[in-house]
Amino acid sequence: MSEKIPPELSLDALKSGNRDEFTRLVDAYSGPMYRMAMKMLGDGQDAEDVLQNTFLNAFKHIRSFEERSSLSTWLYRIAANEALMMIRKRRPETTMTDTSVEGDEGGEYSPLQFVDWCCLPEDELLSVEARRHLDRAIQRLPEKLRIVFILRDLEDLSIEETRQVLDLSQTAVKTRLLRARLNLREQLSSYYSERIGDRIEKK
Amino acid sequence: MTQSAHCKSLLDSLSEYVDGTLSEELCNEIQRHLSDCQNCSIVVDTLRKTIYLYHAITSEPADVPRDVRERLFHSLKLEDYLQH
């Protein structure tokens, strides 16, 4: 994502309210924004609301877009804020997992599972059931870790872009990313070591 | 450093190590530790695999379902751009 504005889009046309151009913007970016919202919220209806609000807001505020970041980073920023607001709306009381994220960010996080499940065949690692488990594991991450993991590892943003989207320091992005990855590794280790157990039993 | 201090220091630079953004010197140090610490070796391998699996499930193009796209265009008052 080196270019700030993709060559097929004209920022001047977008800023002047050109509907053809805005339609091109929607078609270019609705896919990644919808996927991000789906992974963040795990619910089609909520993801759709986030998608609509993202482009309604983009439409409304495109004139204030200043090219300090790329257009896609700017859209991710709107979408991420919408998704986080949706989560807060859905669950107004603050949960324990969420308040703890801030406090223990720099703290230790020691791995607990040491089963090597890398040897499982690819079709088992990516079976329909395993894919569902991969999605569920993301949903179990505290939202502040979840959003960092989704942007960096699923949407393939750089650390710097993730930092811009979330208004965080590089260090905070790196710490949250590491914690998210280690948390998912633990969850996947529990799941796949059971699969290894199943295979041994069958033999 | 004791063995567990090595494990702890590996944990701190684990993300950068699996992303390949660590300096050569630190990389070599980690590799030396991994060659005689089986648990850390498993953590590194399964962490790499974890990231790989998530990449694999998002490598397909991000499509918006047709009905979701239609409702999106309606909400943006762009319905005249919908191709039937």
Side-chain angles (χ1 to χ4, degrees):
Chain A
M1 252 182 277
S2 53
E3 285 164 308
K4 289 198 167 176
I5 314 290
E8 66 275 18
L9 285 173
S10 151
L11 189 59
D12 287 342
L14 284 170
K15 288 196 173 188
S16 68
N18 182 309
R19 293 172 80 242
D20 289 356
E21 203 62 13
F22 196 71
T23 304
R24 275 193 284 276
L25 173 86
V26 173
D27 273 330
Y29 291 109
S30 52
M33 298 307 139
Y34 182 69
R35 177 173 63 192
M36 193 273 265
M38 269 303 280
K39 297 285 177 205
M40 197 57 201
L41 301 160
D43 177 90
Q45 186 55 56
D46 286 351
E48 189 173 336
D49 289 349
V50 164
L51 180 70
Q52 292 182 3
N53 288 339
T54 298
F55 285 102
L56 282 168
N57 276 324
F59 214 172
K60 215 188 292 176
H61 299 293
I62 188 74
R63 253 175 262 139
S64 63
F65 172 66
E66 285 174 350
E67 291 181 76
R68 275 188 305 232
S69 64
S70 70
L71 196 53
S72 74
T73 305
W74 184 72
L75 286 169
Y76 273 122
R77 191 182 167 96
I78 301 173
N81 283 333
E82 286 293 332
L84 289 168
M85 262 190 320
M86 175 75 79
I87 289 172
R88 272 167 222 147
K89 208 163 64 184
R90 209 161 62 171
R91 198 187 46 200
E93 75 284 7
T94 320
T95 62
M96 288 303 287
T97 38
D98 232 59
T99 43
S100 66
V101 176
E102 218 71 73
D104 60 12
E105 207 162 70
E108 284 190 43
Y109 190 93
S110 300
L112 301 168
Q113 308 221 37
F114 302 102
V115 177
D116 188 358
W117 44 266
C118 294
C119 54
L120 279 167
E122 186 98 358
D123 58 347
E124 196 153 338
L125 288 168
L126 287 170
S127 68
V128 176
E129 196 205 297
R131 282 166 188 259
R132 271 202 295 270
H133 188 81
L134 288 166
D135 280 336
R136 271 201 304 269
I138 297 182
Q139 292 302 309
R140 287 198 200 102
L141 288 174
E143 69 216 35
K144 286 174 182 166
L145 305 187
R146 199 188 317 157
I147 188 74
V148 170
F149 178 76
I150 291 171
L151 291 171
R152 174 73 188 94
D153 278 344
L154 302 188
E155 296 302 325
D156 219 11
L157 268 62
S158 67
I159 296 275
E160 175 57 23
E161 287 165 334
T162 309
R163 187 196 72 70
Q164 286 174 7
V165 171
L166 299 173
D167 241 342
L168 291 171
S169 67
Q170 282 228 0
T171 314
V173 170
K174 286 181 181 175
T175 312
R176 289 180 194 194
L177 179 66
L178 174 63
R179 295 183 61 78
R181 286 170 162 183
L182 286 171
N183 180 313
L184 292 169
R185 191 203 73 90
E186 291 291 324
Q187 293 195 55
L188 264 51
S189 294
S190 307
Y191 174 77
Y192 288 122
S193 46
E194 274 176 39
R195 304 286 85 73
I196 292 180
D198 293 347
R199 284 169 73 85
I200 293 168
E201 261 173 44
K202 273 182 206 157
K203 276 181 188 169
Chain B
M1 264 203 282
T2 62
Q3 183 73 348
S4 67
H6 277 293
C7 300
K8 170 76 183 72
S9 105
L10 167 85
L11 205 58
D12 291 338
S13 26
L14 201 50
S15 260
E16 279 107 335
Y17 180 67
V18 297
D19 287 341
T21 53
L22 218 52
S23 71
E24 204 182 321
E25 193 187 339
L26 275 169
C27 257
N28 291 337
E29 206 176 295
I30 286 176
Q31 271 153 6
R32 267 197 302 278
H33 171 64
L34 291 178
S35 65
D36 56 28
C37 182
Q38 201 193 359
N39 278 353
C40 280
S41 198
I42 290 172
V43 170
V44 168
D45 289 347
T46 49
L47 187 71
R48 273 210 180 102
K49 201 77 172 184
T50 298
I51 299 165
Y52 162 81
L53 289 174
Y54 279 107
H55 277 172
I57 61 162
T58 35
S59 61
E60 295 109 26
D63 286 328
V64 179
R66 202 184 155 142
D67 55 328
V68 175
R69 181 173 178 268
E70 279 180 12
R71 287 191 292 270
L72 173 64
F73 274 59
H74 279 283
S75 78
L76 299 170
K77 303 197 170 45
L78 295 172
E79 52 272 70
D80 46 319
Y81 286 87
L82 281 168
Q83 286 162 355
H84 292 284

